[in-house]
Amino acid sequence: VISPLIALMKDQTDALSANGIPATFLNSSIDARTTVQRLDGLDAHRYKLLYVAPERLALAGFLAHLEGWNLEQIAVDEAHCVSEWGHDFRPEYRQIAKLRERYPMVPMLALTATATDRVRQDIERFLQLRNPHYFVSSFNRPNLRYSVFDKRDAAKQLVAYVQARGKESGIVYGQSRQTAEDLAAKLSAAGVRARPYHAGLSAAERARNQELFIRDEVQVICATIAFGMGIDKPNVRFVAHYDIPKNLEGYYQETGRAGRDGLPSECALFFNGGDAAKQRHFITQIEDEHERAQAQTRLREMLDFAASAYCRRVHLLRYFGEPAQAADCGNCDNCLVPPERIDATVAAQKLLSCVYRIRSRSGFSVGSHHVVDVLFGESTDKVLKWGHDRLPIFGIGSEYSKNEWLSFVSELLALGCLEQEAPYRTLALTEEGRTALRERRTFVFAKPKTVEPLKKSRKGRTGSQSIASGDGDLFESLRRLRKELADERGVPPYVVFSDVTLREFASQRPHSKAAFRAISGVGDIKLETYGEIFIDAISRYAE
């Protein structure tokens, strides 16, 4: 298995070995002596599965060693890394094609949680897959609640948000290393057990903070995007983005670290126009024109999601090419608290006219943010370069903010009056839009709303289990017992039992081994190892 994460390799090989499947890994975290021992074990065919990083394929002698190891299958994890359109492009991943050339008959499996059609095509091409079968599961995570909050006094908002979630585990993503450090310090000062995680820390400190988080010693990790890939901690109850991510794939993958046990979990994005401006500034520093254009396209897609007044789940599913089952998911901020509707007839006419006039003058279409700049009267370099400051619609939209104009763009896209043309998702007027402009059609749009992320809410459909308030104390008691047992055995708490299973214990209160064994997550080995301990704890609580 070719995988990028050291922690993933260790956790997975430990889990496999514990279940009787001999597995090992090779990476930079182990010393030379251990490396030699593992190579000897591979030469002696003592292992059935090996994890390596893609960079190891380039090391002298590795492919020669591989010749004697009876390679039967290749699995490539995080396969989106081969694509420039993937959210975490890594050129080293394309070296994996060497294995295809040397072992043309060995089956290869490529796996990723986030791949649009374009990325899937790149995976097939760069890994040289031959007539592959595609297995695409749903991108819908019904237990996750998506919310976008207006970012004002952001640090205080974040502290209040985390405190409202009690002792639950969470991840906070920030744009920079300094942000991760500052947020961890602010949360710690507010009584929340928090640690930073970023590439500027030593490998030992990163590993320590991650281990503390996995073992529930630390409640919140404040991190850059360096954290999380391959972290299989099932009871992360919230993922908060303090800064807007660079693209929707990254956002989806990072939010997907919440609620892997299927229980209700939350995904919070703190956003304002200043964040978008910062990201655009960073993009202008990219020297390669092709790379810069790609980054701009990805950011526009992310901003469209943040500004949308419609169901956020539907927005995500459509982005990944999956049809939504309904227009209302009942578990995002826009569905739970629908925004106020306003008469936007004049605004729609201005927007449609602006798109039409820019195309008529220049002979090409532009993106939604450029259209908004023209309406807002912003004399950007591109606006001046193309003479769009001389259009009669320049500056006629100052009555709305840029975010409000972007939400209106989303409305007109949803109504089919505008469309986004490939490859850069530039705005174009549809025949429906031309008709609406000629007929001066009436429009009613959603007014962008401000949401205070201070209180924890469990309203709406979650598609997963909940716990009755009367069982909460027992759940917390069992969680403490689980932690003690996990510490004694030197394993993460979820290896003992998941939160889902603990909630079942708290709800059903099994008093016999038969009842205990009947609960999901309890097998014969766990019944033998933990059954009496937990049954006794439940009985004492009941008494």
Side-chain angles (χ1 to χ4, degrees), residues 457-500:
S457 172
R458 288 299 188 205
K459 294 190 302 180
R461 301 188 300 272
T462 63
S464 63
Q465 304 176 55
S466 61
I467 186 167
S469 58
D471 298 324
D473 290 341
L474 176 55
F475 173 72
E476 289 299 329
S477 175
L478 296 178
R479 188 153 68 170
R480 288 192 295 272
L481 174 59
R482 177 183 65 178
K483 182 71 170 64
E484 294 170 5
L485 294 170
D487 290 345
E488 290 174 3
R489 289 158 175 76
V491 297
Y494 64 80
V495 171
V496 177
F497 286 117
S498 71
D499 276 12
V500 176

Side-chain angles (χ1 to χ4, degrees), residues 1-4 52-58 62-63 66 71 73-83 90-104 106-111 123 125-129:
V1 176
I2 298 165
S3 170
V52 297
E55 291 81 359
R56 184 160 291 269
L57 298 179
F62 178 77
L63 292 178
L66 193 57
L71 182 63
Q73 294 180 356
I74 303 166
V76 182
D77 196 18
E78 311 295 353
H80 59 268
C81 294
V82 305
S83 174
R90 295 176 62 188
E92 299 85 358
Y93 257 71
R94 295 186 178 179
Q95 297 182 41
I96 298 171
K98 293 178 182 178
L99 293 179
R100 173 54 89 204
E101 296 165 4
R102 293 175 72 104
Y103 301 95
V106 171
M108 180 179 285
L109 175 69
L111 305 124
I123 291 172
R125 182 169 76 256
F126 289 115
L127 294 183
Q128 300 179 24
L129 306 180

Side-chain angles (χ1 to χ4, degrees), residues 261-276:
D261 54 10
L263 293 176
S265 303
E266 301 178 53
C267 308
L269 169 60
F270 295 81
F271 171 70
N272 63 23
D275 288 341

